Amino acid sequence: MIERLAIVLACALPPAIAVANEAPPAEAPPAEAPPAEAPSPAGKPVAEVPSPPTEGITATSGDAPTEPVPEPVDDSGDGETIEVVDRAPPGARAELGKEQLERDEYDDLHKVLGSIAGVYIRDEDGYGLRPNIGMRGAAADRSAKVTLMEDGVLSGPAPYTAPAAYYVPLVTRMSRIEVTKGPSSIRFGPATVGGAIDMISEPFPAERAGYADIAGGSNLYGKAHLRAAERRKRWGVMAEYVKLRTDGFKELDGGGNTGFDKDDVSVIGRYMSDPASTTYHQFDVRVGYGRERSNETYTGLTDADFAASPQRRYVASQLDQMNWDHWRLRADHRLELGTKTRVVTTAYRNRFHRAWGKVDGFVGQRDFYGLLAAPSAGTNQLYYAILTGRIDTSSPEEQLVRGTNDRSFTSQGIQSLLAAERTTGPVVHHVDAGVRIHFDRADRRRFEDRFDMVAGSLVRSDVMQTKPLDTRAETIALALFAEDRVHYKRLELSAGVRLELIDYRFVDWLTMDQKEGAYSVLIPGGGAEYHVTDQFSVLAGVHRGFVPVAPSAAGDVRPESSLNVEGGARWRDERVNADLIGFFSDYSNLKGSCTLAAGCTEAMDGAEYNGGHVRVWGAEAQAGAELPLVTRKKLTLPVALAYTYTASEFQHSFSSEFAGWGDVETGDELPYLPRHQIAVSGGVKHPRWEAGATARYRSTSRDVAGQGDIPEVERANALLTIDLSAHAKLRPWAELYATCSNLLDEQVIVARRPYGARPNPPRMIAVGYKARF
């Protein structure tokens, strides 16, 4: 099967990216189906303009700014028909609009998503450099069980082969973020168990435009965001550059930079047919490049050291550094066949290479997680003293191992999406169908060097570098989906199905062990929403959750599979939107993926484990409004609320080598799944100025599966943070702003993975200036 699919893909893309069978080569470059854009109301495509601002969070199915809100229309005296054009199917869906993103000025995707119900994050570095995002019980480890996209195309380095997301598009250059949960998420994939996150970049302006955002702040934080666009009747071009940097908030023993430096540049060209033509064509070509150098580490702290100085970093991590670069190339063709039929075809290719060198063990003690959890146990006392630089290395077993995980990823494919609307009497059908052929590859190498601790510094030993890992894994997948949304009077129904045909191959270049295989999966889903009144509706939905198996997994590991159900109520009027939705996920098999980021040792890296029967349930409340405060002075009060309650239980007992599970008893809770999460924001807004505050609370969670009281050494603590922001428009084209994150300067242990206690960021302040012209 893989040969046949490879031929198809090779014919559509450059020959260099066909599936290869040769010995380990240099890495090659990469990613899925964009959501359809709304057709122009008049039936002819018009110049694309930025979406109108939304206040707070649009917690809705289909109330995106580009989509018209349904209005009741008369049906020849036969009641009311809810006529909806280009709406998302019934179900849970939330959106953060451009105005909200610019109000908060977050560079960290974790903070952005903290205002959306049903989304969980696991902090790691404090800046969101390596995203750990989960949804509705799906594990947050490296966002491997969430479908991440940029403008509808898979953005992960290798979404099928190695879905752990060490790369995420810069939030700074996004204009909108859409979060889809429930049955509507089957449109995306491959992972459907939790949901999908689509990061929408800046749309083409209707005319020549420019933008500049310059900011600075705590720990020598700096931001430069520049964008310029030229727009004519038949063509346009837009270029964008973003630079982010900081010296970091952690304090390395002996001194040193613990921050990062990132650059991202992109160019988009567009050519359009005559807007007055009956059949409209639009061609887009995008080229982008990003790079990062971050002085980040997997090494955390012992509990005692955290209590004394939460921002401390041990001297042994002084050489730890991540370097990556990311190339992206994409071409889109949009075909409008009248007002109610559209076809969007995208070819994409991404290349991501990273090398993260970090201390992650001793020759005689490879379990850094166990070492920092019990630094006084047995010989751990000696290793801990070397780790902190208190004593020098005196034997080969006491040498530190600095492992460089060198990874090259390719992700590429072609996808096409059809959207059509047809009316039969009082029934409106909106049909979406798509096909994608996708190939991704992961070349994984690990190099190990030994270092001695000498007088508080790492000194390279005479032992030659070793290469304990050299593998290639690749997957080619054909995905198809079809969905029909039916609108009849006050009832909306959706029914859809996704088919994934997956073919994979794995080879270990050191042992020459090889394996290959193929499997298919059918993912159905459907939902319903009934509009009781023009403002109030009830909804329900069900779909299958799925996460593919990595090619490197053992033969007995099964894909993750679940039955997901949701139901609730929704309110929409001119000022208020609110959702209250309950969810239940019944996993027939929960899958655990071992990575160093999850606290696994290097020998277990890449392994996957069956977790069996698990149940997750909870409730989400999402609301947003902009209320008039003083009409005469044009003052309004934007407010938003997001609350999530989650509970989970393993339905059987077993023992697992997976670090986050261990010895599981029936009734144990999943790790890093807080029972309560809440985010509340409010402010005062005037056409010339705005001030606001956001409070977020996250209850305690477990580091390891368990039940009852959480032991101190396995606890991720509850956290309350308050963020402030203020904006002043000096001119229609000029603006000053200031932000303060973590106003109370509260720091707690928010995670114990990869190795040891890790803090959230301290109080940080930034000021900036924006110009639009």
Side-chain angles (χ1 to χ4, degrees):
M1 177 179 174
I2 193 167
E3 285 79 12
R4 293 194 297 272
L5 292 179
I7 292 172
V8 174
L9 188 61
C11 292
L13 296 175
I17 56 179
V19 178
N21 295 311
E22 68 278 7
E27 59 275 0
E32 169 155 318
E37 301 175 31
S40 57
K44 303 294 183 184
V46 296
E48 186 177 349
V49 296
S51 303
T54 56
E55 293 307 322
I57 300 171
T58 306
T60 176
S61 160
D63 285 337
T66 55
E67 299 164 347
V69 178
E71 296 180 359
V73 295
D74 185 71
D75 187 33
S76 303
D78 190 26
E80 291 182 330
T81 298
I82 301 297
E83 185 175 348
V84 186
V85 179
D86 219 34
R87 282 191 62 174
R93 181 176 180 274
E95 178 176 303
L96 286 164
K98 183 179 180 67
E99 186 169 342
Q100 181 68 34
L101 293 175
E102 290 204 26
R103 175 185 298 149
D104 294 333
E105 292 296 340
Y106 291 138
D107 300 322
D108 182 348
L109 183 59
H110 284 169
K111 291 184 177 180
V112 171
L113 297 176
S115 296
I116 296 181
V119 178
Y120 318 93
I121 63 167
R122 195 194 80 203
D123 295 299
E124 183 177 323
D125 52 68
Y127 293 108
L129 301 178
R130 257 58 77 189
N132 293 293
I133 304 165
M135 297 170 66
R136 289 190 172 177
D141 292 339
R142 284 291 182 266
S143 311
K145 298 183 180 182
V146 174
T147 297
L148 296 176
M149 299 175 289
E150 180 178 351
D151 293 319
V153 171
L154 294 174
S155 63
Y160 285 83
T161 302
Y166 287 79
Y167 164 82
V168 66
L170 287 180
V171 181
T172 311
R173 59 182 180 84
M174 299 301 156
S175 68
R176 195 168 84 242
I177 295 179
E178 298 176 352
V179 177
T180 304
K181 297 164 284 185
S184 3
S185 62
I186 68 169
R187 298 182 55 182
F188 306 110
T192 63
V193 67
I197 298 172
D198 196 3
M199 305 175 68
I200 311 298
S201 59
E202 185 71 18
F204 257 95
E207 58 187 3
R208 178 184 299 171
Y211 174 82
D213 180 2
I214 308 296
S218 304
N219 306 310
L220 292 182
Y221 165 79
K223 174 175 67 174
H225 183 187
L226 308 174
R227 185 171 58 242
E230 176 65 72
R231 182 64 182 264
R232 300 297 176 89
K233 181 180 179 181
R234 300 284 298 276
W235 62 271
V237 62
M238 182 165 66
E240 189 170 23
Y241 171 72
V242 179
K243 184 177 186 66
L244 296 173
R245 59 95 54 213
T246 177
D247 279 356
F249 65 86
K250 292 181 181 176
E251 299 167 355
L252 182 64
D253 290 349
N257 188 306
T258 61
F260 66 86
D261 194 306
K262 303 180 75 165
D263 295 274
D264 189 279
V265 60
S266 59
V267 178
I268 305 173
R270 171 172 293 180
Y271 179 77
M272 303 161 285
S273 62
D274 188 341
S277 60
T278 304
T279 301
Y280 172 79
H281 296 269
Q282 177 179 294
F283 300 90
D284 288 354
V285 176
R286 313 183 190 194
V287 180
Y289 172 77
R291 57 161 291 276
E292 174 189 301
R293 171 173 292 181
S294 52
N295 301 302
E296 260 305 326
T297 182
Y298 273 4
T299 307
L301 300 170
T302 67
D303 282 23
D305 289 337
F306 188 97
S309 179
Q311 293 169 211
R312 181 184 178 186
R313 244 181 73 175
Y314 297 137
V315 66
S317 68
Q318 62 187 219
L319 301 180
D320 291 6
Q321 188 175 86
M322 158 78 92
N323 287 277
W324 63 249
D325 63 280
H326 183 271
W327 286 94
R328 52 191 186 271
L329 176 64
R330 171 174 170 171
D332 299 270
H333 172 242
R334 174 170 171 162
L335 173 63
E336 298 274 1
L337 300 172
T339 61
K340 297 190 177 181
T341 303
R342 174 175 61 257
V343 179
V344 179
T345 302
T346 302
Y348 55 90
R349 177 182 174 106
N350 298 298
R351 172 188 173 276
F352 180 68
H353 174 257
R354 68 174 178 90
W356 194 346
K358 54 197 176 301
V359 168
D360 52 21
F362 285 91
V363 174
Q365 164 58 295
R366 284 300 184 104
D367 183 7
F368 252 32
Y369 177 87
L371 168 62
L372 293 175
S376 301
T379 57
N380 282 358
Q381 298 180 61
L382 172 63
Y383 292 119
Y384 170 73
I386 298 172
L387 184 71
T388 55
R390 296 208 317 266
I391 64 174
D392 292 346
T393 299
S394 60
S395 69
E397 289 73 21
E398 297 169 8
Q399 290 179 333
L400 285 147
V401 177
R402 184 177 186 268
T404 299
N405 291 340
D406 189 293
R407 311 284 193 252
S408 298
F409 300 95
T410 296
S411 181
Q412 60 198 16
I414 296 178
Q415 61 193 26
S416 190
L417 179 69
L418 165 69
E421 186 175 290
R422 297 293 182 266
T423 302
T424 305
V427 179
V428 178
H429 292 267
H430 189 113
V431 178
D432 289 292
V435 58
R436 179 186 68 206
I437 186 166
H438 173 92
F439 168 76
D440 60 42
R441 171 192 297 152
D443 288 304
R444 308 175 71 172
R445 293 170 290 274
R446 176 178 170 87
F447 303 96
E448 291 186 354
D449 299 282
R450 296 187 185 185
F451 285 80
D452 294 317
M453 179 66 71
V454 178
S457 294
L458 292 180
V459 178
R460 178 78 175 272
S461 76
D462 295 331
V463 179
M464 292 183 61
Q465 183 184 78
T466 60
K467 185 170 70 171
L469 176 70
D470 190 356
T471 67
R472 162 172 285 190
E474 56 192 24
T475 303
I476 188 164
L478 177 65
L480 305 98
F481 83 89
E483 185 175 60
D484 186 12
R485 289 170 272 165
V486 179
H487 310 278
Y488 174 71
K489 296 186 177 181
R490 290 187 171 273
L491 180 64
E492 299 180 45
L493 296 173
S494 72
V497 65
R498 181 179 191 85
L499 175 64
E500 292 271 1
L501 304 173
I502 299 172
D503 198 304
Y504 63 87
R505 180 173 297 172
F506 175 79
V507 58
D508 186 323
W509 298 115
L510 299 180
T511 64
M512 294 311 297
D513 291 337
Q514 300 186 46
K515 67 172 182 173
E516 59 182 60
Y519 61 98
S520 61
V521 61
L522 196 66
I523 307 169
E529 181 171 358
Y530 183 75
H531 295 261
V532 181
T533 69
D534 293 346
Q535 295 79 28
F536 178 71
S537 61
V538 293
L539 60 94
V542 60
H543 78 283
R544 180 183 181 182
F546 166 75
V547 176
V549 173
S552 58
D556 62 343
V557 177
R558 306 188 305 275
E560 185 160 295
S561 182
S562 65
L563 176 68
N564 302 331
V565 180
E566 68 175 11
R570 171 170 292 147
W571 179 273
R572 296 289 181 272
D573 63 27
E574 294 179 352
R575 293 175 178 168
V576 178
N577 63 78
D579 286 0
L580 179 60
I581 298 176
F583 62 90
F584 176 77
S585 298
D586 190 3
Y587 289 82
S588 58
N589 184 54
L590 182 74
K591 182 168 65 72
S593 301
C594 227
T595 65
L596 295 179
C600 295
T601 63
E602 54 84 22
M604 300 168 62
D605 190 19
E608 295 196 321
Y609 302 90
N610 294 318
H613 192 191
V614 178
R615 289 176 178 168
V616 180
W617 65 95
E620 303 167 355
Q622 188 95 52
E626 182 163 334
L627 307 174
L629 201 58
V630 182
T631 305
R632 183 170 55 84
K633 295 185 178 180
K634 300 180 180 179
L635 292 178
T636 58
L637 178 66
V639 294
L641 165 72
Y643 170 73
T644 308
Y645 170 83
T646 313
S648 62
E649 284 187 356
F650 278 93
Q651 299 299 300
H652 65 127
S653 302
F654 65 101
S655 293
S656 174
E657 296 180 7
F658 182 55
W661 295 344
D663 295 324
V664 175
E665 299 291 337
T666 301
D668 280 359
E669 298 175 328
L670 291 171
Y672 290 102
L673 204 59
R675 186 66 61 97
H676 303 280
Q677 290 188 148
I678 187 168
V680 181
S681 65
V684 179
K685 180 181 176 183
H686 183 271
R688 295 287 302 276
W689 57 269
E690 182 175 1
T694 300
R696 292 187 180 87
Y697 172 78
R698 186 169 67 224
S699 63
T700 57
S701 60
R702 300 177 179 277
D703 182 62
V704 180
Q707 54 188 295
D709 294 335
I710 306 175
E712 186 71 27
V713 294
E714 297 179 2
R715 182 184 305 159
N717 294 325
L719 175 65
L720 171 66
T721 59
I722 297 176
D723 297 347
L724 304 178
S725 65
H727 297 254
K729 295 181 180 178
L730 308 179
R731 295 286 187 274
W733 44 266
E735 177 182 325
L736 287 176
Y737 66 88
T739 63
C740 176
S741 61
N742 194 4
L743 175 68
L744 304 179
D745 203 23
E746 179 83 2
Q747 284 190 283
V748 301
I749 297 175
V750 292
R752 296 177 179 274
R753 308 277 170 179
Y755 313 128
R758 310 184 77 85
N760 60 296
R763 180 191 302 119
M764 292 192 285
I765 297 172
V767 296
Y769 171 81
K770 291 183 180 180
R772 294 177 172 87
F773 49 91

